């Protein structure tokens, strides 16, 4: 009992030393394990952080080759960063960077590295398995201004301002634009199919051609009502037919006139005339008003299309003006030979001949006999109330229907030279 309680030899002092030694040994062992565990955890932490830095550096080094639109300067900056093995540092003055007007990417930061290496912001979340889902902040201009770039590997270049002065920030889906407060520019209304006007030209139309309303609207009706001098090509067309060598009417006194008119079916057509320059302007104005009023005329073509045969032209109810010829049945030159007379719808408004008793003996053209009796009412009849009579008289013309002897209802002329 004394031995157990320290009353014998080697008593209490010896027992205390044993317990103290055991406690010290346990403390040393515990400290060793604690130190080992601490060093193991720190090593793992540093290794994980290094792996993340290495991944960031590798992704930045690989990104420029994936972007087809990067400039050589940007590629050089990325290669320099990858070659140094360092981590891209944020500007020291984070407040100034924030005040530059460019926003950091949305999403939480992964953490901060040590102060000696600088802070690195990384976009956290699940890795998409491709660089297309990763964006990183970078210095795009070399002046400390931060921007964002899509390292998608899809070949799309950085978002730029269009001037080549540097990247501009790309907004994440759902994020607000810095210009959101400005009113959006109105969108241009898309052209409806078939609404774009086709391309037209007056020169595309020949005598008697139909002219659609769309062409008239596109070109303007006045563009079809023109007078010009006789061109070489036109002179070749009429020479030897309506135009013959003479000392009365030189080529320089004639004018070529283009007009629009409505035929008997109500179709708009292209017409042409040759007249004396003394009345060409009047004819343009008169025919433009006839067109505006939709006055019906069957044909308006040069008499040369009928080999300058006045009988053929009149029989087909063709309206014409210049034709170097004599008065029908006489030797005197007609006012048509000077380009000072015009015949309108001649078959329906013939030159009528009467005997002394007042009976109709004939008419020109011959197939106009059904319309020689002017007491009857029929379409396209020219009488004293007709629009043609009013317009031509307003422009100083005389109407052949007023002649008491051999009235010529188709005929309008203006001249001080009487016909024999």
């Amino acid at each position: 009992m004394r031995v157990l309680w320290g009353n014998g030899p080697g008593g209490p002092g010896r027992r205390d030393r044993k317990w103290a030694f055991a406690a010290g040994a346990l403390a040393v062992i515990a400290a060793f394990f604690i130190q080992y565990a601490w060093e193991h955890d720190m090593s793992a932490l540093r290794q994980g952080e290094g792996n993340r830095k290495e991944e960031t550096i590798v992704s930045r080094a690989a990104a420029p080759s994936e972007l087809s639109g990067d400039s050589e300067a940007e590629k050089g900056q990325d290669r320099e960063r990858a070659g140094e093995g360092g981590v891209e540092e944020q500007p020291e003055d984070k407040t100034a960077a924030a005040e530059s007007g460019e926003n950091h990417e949305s999403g939480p930061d992964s953490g901060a590295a040590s102060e000696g290496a600088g802070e690195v912001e990384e976009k956290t979340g699940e890795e998409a398995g491709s660089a297309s889902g990763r964006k990183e902040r970078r210095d795009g201009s070399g002046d400390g201004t931060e921007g964002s770039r899509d390292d998608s590997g899809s070949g799309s270049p950085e978002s730029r301002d269009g001037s080549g002065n540097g990247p501009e920030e790309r907004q994440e889906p759902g994020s607000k634009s810095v210009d959101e407060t400005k009113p959006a520019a109105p969108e241009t209304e898309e052209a409806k199919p078939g609404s774009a006007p086709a391309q037209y030209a007056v020169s595309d139309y020949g005598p008697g051609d139909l002219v659609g309303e769309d062409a008239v609207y596109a070109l303007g009706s006045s563009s079809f009502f023109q007078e010009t001098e006789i061109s070489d090509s036109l002179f070749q067309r009429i020479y030897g037919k309506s135009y013959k060598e003479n000392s009365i009417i030189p080529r320089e006194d004639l004018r070529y006139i283009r007009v629009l008119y409505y035929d008997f079916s109500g179709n708009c057509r292209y017409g042409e005339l040759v007249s004396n320059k003394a009345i060409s302007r009047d004819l343009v104005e008169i025919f433009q008003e006839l067109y505006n009023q939709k006055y019906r005329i069957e044909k308006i073509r040069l008499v040369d299309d009928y080999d300058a045969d006045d009988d053929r032209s009149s029989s087909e109810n063709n309206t014409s003006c210049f034709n170097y010829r004599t008065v029908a049945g006489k030797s005197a030159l007609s006012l048509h030979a000077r380009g000072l007379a015009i015949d309108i719808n001649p078959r329906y408004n013939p030159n009528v001949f009467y005997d002394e008793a007042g009976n109709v003996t004939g008419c020109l053209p011959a197939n106009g006999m059904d319309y020689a009796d002017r007491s009857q009412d029929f379409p396209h009849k020219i009488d004293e109330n007709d629009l043609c009579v009013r317009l031509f008289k307003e422009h100083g013309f005389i109407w052949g229907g007023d002649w008491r002897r051999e009235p010529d209802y188709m005929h309008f002329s203006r001249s001080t030279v009487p016909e024999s």
Side-chain angles (χ1 to χ4, degrees), residues 50-63 78 81-88 122 136:
N51 290 340
R52 287 194 296 272
K53 294 177 182 177
E54 182 179 359
E55 181 182 359
T56 302
I57 294 170
V58 171
S59 65
R60 290 175 178 171
D78 290 330
R81 294 189 186 96
E84 291 175 355
V87 179
E88 184 178 356
E122 296 180 330
E136 57 180 332

Side-chain angles (χ1 to χ4, degrees), residues 19 51 98 129 173 176 193 261 269 288 299 315 317 334 352 362 369-370 396:
W19 281 109
N51 290 340
K176 295 183 178 181
Y261 67 97
R269 294 184 181 272
Q288 190 160 13
K299 298 177 182 179
S315 296
N317 203 38
S334 167
V352 183
M369 186 60 75
D370 292 339

Side-chain angles (χ1 to χ4, degrees), residues 45-353:
L45 179 62
R46 285 193 295 270
Q47 183 177 1
E49 182 178 338
N51 290 340
R52 287 194 296 272
K53 294 177 182 177
E54 182 179 359
E55 181 182 359
T56 302
I57 294 170
V58 171
S59 65
R60 290 175 178 171
S65 62
E66 297 169 354
L67 296 175
S68 61
D70 276 352
S71 65
E72 291 301 325
E74 293 169 339
K75 292 179 181 179
Q77 292 175 359
D78 290 330
R79 285 196 296 269
E80 182 179 353
R81 294 189 186 96
E84 291 175 355
V87 179
E88 184 178 356
E89 296 182 357
Q90 278 189 303
E92 295 179 0
D93 190 353
K94 297 177 65 176
T95 303
E99 292 177 351
S100 65
E102 303 198 356
N103 301 324
H104 296 297
E105 292 183 65
S106 61
D109 293 336
S110 63
S114 62
E115 293 183 359
E119 294 182 353
V120 179
E121 291 184 350
E122 296 180 330
K123 182 177 177 181
T124 61
E126 291 186 14
E127 292 294 331
S130 69
S132 61
R134 186 182 301 116
K135 293 183 180 181
E136 57 180 332
R137 290 188 351 186
R138 59 170 293 171
D139 181 2
S141 62
D143 57 0
T145 304
E146 293 181 353
S148 63
R149 185 179 66 179
D150 180 8
D151 292 337
S152 61
S154 62
S156 300
E158 295 185 41
S159 174
R160 295 183 177 275
D161 62 0
S163 64
N165 293 329
E168 60 181 9
E169 184 176 5
R170 186 191 301 274
Q171 296 293 326
E172 289 289 342
S175 63
K176 295 183 178 181
S177 171
V178 294
D179 294 328
E180 190 176 39
T181 57
K182 297 182 181 179
E187 295 183 357
T188 304
E189 183 179 359
E190 293 183 2
K192 298 179 180 179
S195 64
Q199 298 298 318
Y200 299 100
V202 174
S203 58
D204 293 337
Y205 299 92
D209 285 352
L210 290 171
V211 182
E213 292 183 358
D214 50 350
V216 175
Y217 179 80
L219 297 172
S221 62
S222 60
S223 64
F224 289 90
F225 292 88
Q226 301 292 333
E227 58 165 327
T228 61
E229 295 182 353
I230 306 299
S231 65
D232 292 341
S233 59
L234 177 60
F235 188 67
Q236 291 176 1
R237 178 182 167 195
I238 67 176
Y239 186 79
K241 295 180 180 179
S242 65
Y243 187 89
K244 301 175 177 64
E245 290 291 346
N246 67 93
S247 59
I248 303 298
I249 182 75
R251 167 183 170 180
E252 291 75 16
D253 285 353
L254 298 177
R255 293 292 183 269
Y256 176 64
I257 301 172
R258 298 191 304 265
V259 300
L260 289 179
Y261 67 97
Y262 287 95
D263 64 16
F264 283 179
S265 298
N267 300 312
C268 180
R269 294 184 181 272
Y270 171 93
E272 59 178 356
L273 296 162
V274 171
S275 78
N276 193 298
K277 65 181 181 181
I279 66 169
S280 59
R281 187 70 255 166
D282 296 286
L283 292 182
V284 168
E285 294 176 0
I286 290 170
F287 276 92
Q288 190 160 13
E289 183 60 23
L290 292 174
Y291 166 79
N292 293 339
Q293 299 297 327
K294 297 188 175 181
Y295 189 90
R296 303 300 175 85
I297 301 174
E298 188 168 8
K299 298 177 182 179
I300 305 178
R301 306 189 66 158
L302 298 186
V303 72
D304 303 270
D305 292 344
Y306 304 91
D307 293 324
D309 186 331
D310 187 64
D311 288 336
R312 279 184 56 198
S313 176
S314 297
S315 296
E316 295 192 22
N317 203 38
N318 180 52
T319 294
S320 65
C321 183
F322 172 74
N323 188 10
Y324 193 84
R325 64 176 178 83
T326 60
V327 177
K330 301 179 181 180
S331 59
L333 283 175
S334 167
L335 289 178
H336 287 278
R338 295 180 172 88
L340 294 172
I342 185 170
D343 295 334
I344 308 291
N345 287 334
R347 184 186 176 196
Y348 290 80
N349 302 281
N351 182 195
V352 183
F353 308 115

